[in-house]
Amino acid sequence: MNMNDDEMRSNDSFDESFYTLPEDMTDESVMDDVVSAEQSDEFEDAIVLNFEGVSDKEEFYAIIQDAIEVPDYFGNNLDALYDVLTEDFEEKTIVVKGIEQSSDGMRDYMKRFRRLCDDVAEENEAIRFVFI
């Protein structure tokens, strides 16, 4: 599935539930598991994308380019990111942090990025995403 920016644009209003844990995950033991998973050796070799405080697409793609090997001609858009991630069959875990702490202006883009991650994981079994 190839997505361009037009397809990624959504007329949907912002879905606050995207940034909150479901009711059955608010129990403290689950939160302890999330914290311990973040510190786990399982993620020792993971690629970490920390979007905390990101206020624009330029910062977003600077983080992507620092963490993920992208070609020189990388287009700094979600379609290009999808292409890079679905064409890379080396097993990897990508830990995504701080999407709920990005600026209000980036919320819709982060929501589209999250959908892209779901699509990539479905298309490419070698890549696993963990959202913290």
Side-chain angles (χ1 to χ4, degrees):
M1 178 177 167
N2 215 5
M3 296 178 286
N4 61 38
D5 280 338
D6 289 336
E7 290 176 46
M8 296 295 291
R9 284 193 187 88
S10 171
N11 292 331
D12 300 344
S13 59
F14 175 69
D15 178 7
E16 191 67 38
S17 67
F18 173 73
Y19 293 99
T20 57
L21 289 172
E23 267 185 53
D24 61 338
M25 292 187 70
T26 55
D27 154 335
E28 281 185 35
S29 65
V30 171
M31 293 307 293
D32 290 342
D33 290 343
V34 170
V35 171
S36 61
E38 181 178 5
Q39 299 164 349
S40 167
D41 290 340
E42 178 183 359
F43 301 118
E44 189 174 305
D45 295 327
I47 294 169
V48 177
L49 302 175
N50 187 351
F51 296 118
E52 187 175 337
V54 168
S55 61
D56 59 32
K57 291 178 188 176
E58 187 174 297
E59 287 179 63
F60 175 86
Y61 285 107
I63 291 167
I64 295 288
Q65 290 179 0
D66 284 346
I68 298 174
E69 198 170 313
V70 296
D72 292 337
Y73 56 85
F74 181 71
N76 284 353
N77 60 61
L78 293 175
D79 191 39
L81 181 58
Y82 178 87
D83 290 344
V84 165
L85 293 174
T86 56
E87 293 170 1
D88 179 2
F89 296 102
E90 183 178 318
E91 286 202 24
K92 65 176 61 67
T93 298
I94 300 175
V95 176
V96 181
K97 299 169 65 175
I99 58 175
E100 66 280 352
Q101 286 95 20
S102 60
S103 74
D104 289 342
M106 286 295 290
R107 281 186 166 192
D108 185 53
Y109 205 75
M110 290 299 183
K111 185 176 180 180
R112 291 185 277 154
F113 169 70
R114 175 61 196 254
R115 285 186 200 140
L116 174 134
C117 293
D118 292 341
D119 291 341
V120 167
E122 189 174 305
E123 179 75 22
N124 185 349
E125 293 178 5
I127 296 181
R128 178 174 76 140
F129 290 92
V130 177
F131 288 82
I132 297 176

